[in-house]
Amino acid sequence: MIIPAQFSRRFYSQDAPQVGLVVDNSDQFTSGSLEVEMQSLVDALNAPVIQPKIINNIALQTVELYPYIAYMKYLLAGSIALAMYISVMIGGGMLYIDDKARGVHEGYLVTPITKLELVFGLNIAGAIKAVLAGIAITLIGSLMAGLPAIFNPVADLELLCMILVTSIAFTA
């Protein structure tokens, strides 16, 4: 630290005194730390003794054009839709194809229901499984992602309606 002669006199007369700091750059961490501490000391000396009543500092307010969304929240909607789609697909159509491949469907055809009722029943069973999967993943995922909407009864009713409509749409 280099403090020149007449520093105090120039400081009290507000004649812009300067101090010097010589650092060894071989150790960046130590020299950087010393530089930051000395700058804070100089800033404290430059601060007025009596604080003004009106602060004229400029503040920067950052507005995000595309706000950050946590990855868990980002994936939640897709995970719900995928689980519902897979539940409908496996619980409905694929189940009938598997039963037909194993010959189990002949037992279905002996019953007094039509083929349309059989397919419709399997699709409704798949839709019910999709609703259950959608509700379960919505609840667990919302709690894990920290979404507060899960504790709102109106939002819960809207989510339930959306899950029902989506699962029925997947059966078509």
Side-chain angles (χ1 to χ4, degrees):
M1 181 79 169
I2 301 172
I3 301 174
Q6 306 296 322
F7 174 80
S8 297
R9 202 168 288 190
R10 291 182 74 186
F11 177 77
Y12 287 114
S13 67
Q14 296 179 350
D15 191 26
Q18 294 182 354
V19 292
L21 179 65
V22 178
V23 293
D24 180 12
N25 287 5
S26 61
D27 184 7
Q28 292 289 328
F29 178 78
T30 305
S31 63
S33 299
L34 283 172
E35 202 170 79
V36 167
E37 288 300 319
M38 286 303 173
Q39 185 61 47
S40 68
L41 180 65
V42 169
D43 290 342
L45 286 172
N46 286 331
V49 178
I50 300 172
Q51 296 294 330
K53 292 188 183 231
I54 299 174
I55 298 174
N56 294 328
N57 293 340
I58 297 173
L60 176 65
Q61 183 179 6
T62 304
V63 177
E64 295 179 353
L65 186 58
Y66 302 106
Y68 172 75
I69 297 174
Y71 193 61
M72 182 76 115
K73 292 177 186 176
Y74 173 75
L75 285 181
L76 184 59
S79 298
I80 294 168
L82 184 65
M84 291 172 58
Y85 178 73
I86 296 297
S87 295
V88 167
M89 186 177 68
I90 292 177
M94 296 297 286
L95 183 66
Y96 181 71
I97 292 171
D98 185 48
D99 287 348
K100 194 171 183 180
R102 286 191 269 151
V104 178
H105 78 291
E106 292 173 3
Y108 295 150
L109 298 175
V110 175
T111 61
I113 59 173
T114 64
K115 290 181 185 179
L116 179 66
E117 292 172 340
L118 175 65
V119 172
F120 186 70
L122 289 172
N123 283 341
I124 291 299
I128 291 171
K129 291 175 189 176
V131 167
L132 294 176
I135 289 171
I137 292 181
T138 300
L139 288 175
I140 293 169
S142 296
L143 291 174
M144 287 175 61
L147 294 175
I150 200 68
F151 299 111
N152 184 354
V154 175
D156 291 343
L157 185 61
E158 290 171 350
L159 282 171
L160 180 64
C161 289
M162 185 178 67
I163 289 171
L164 284 170
V165 169
T166 306
S167 65
I168 291 170
F170 280 148
T171 61

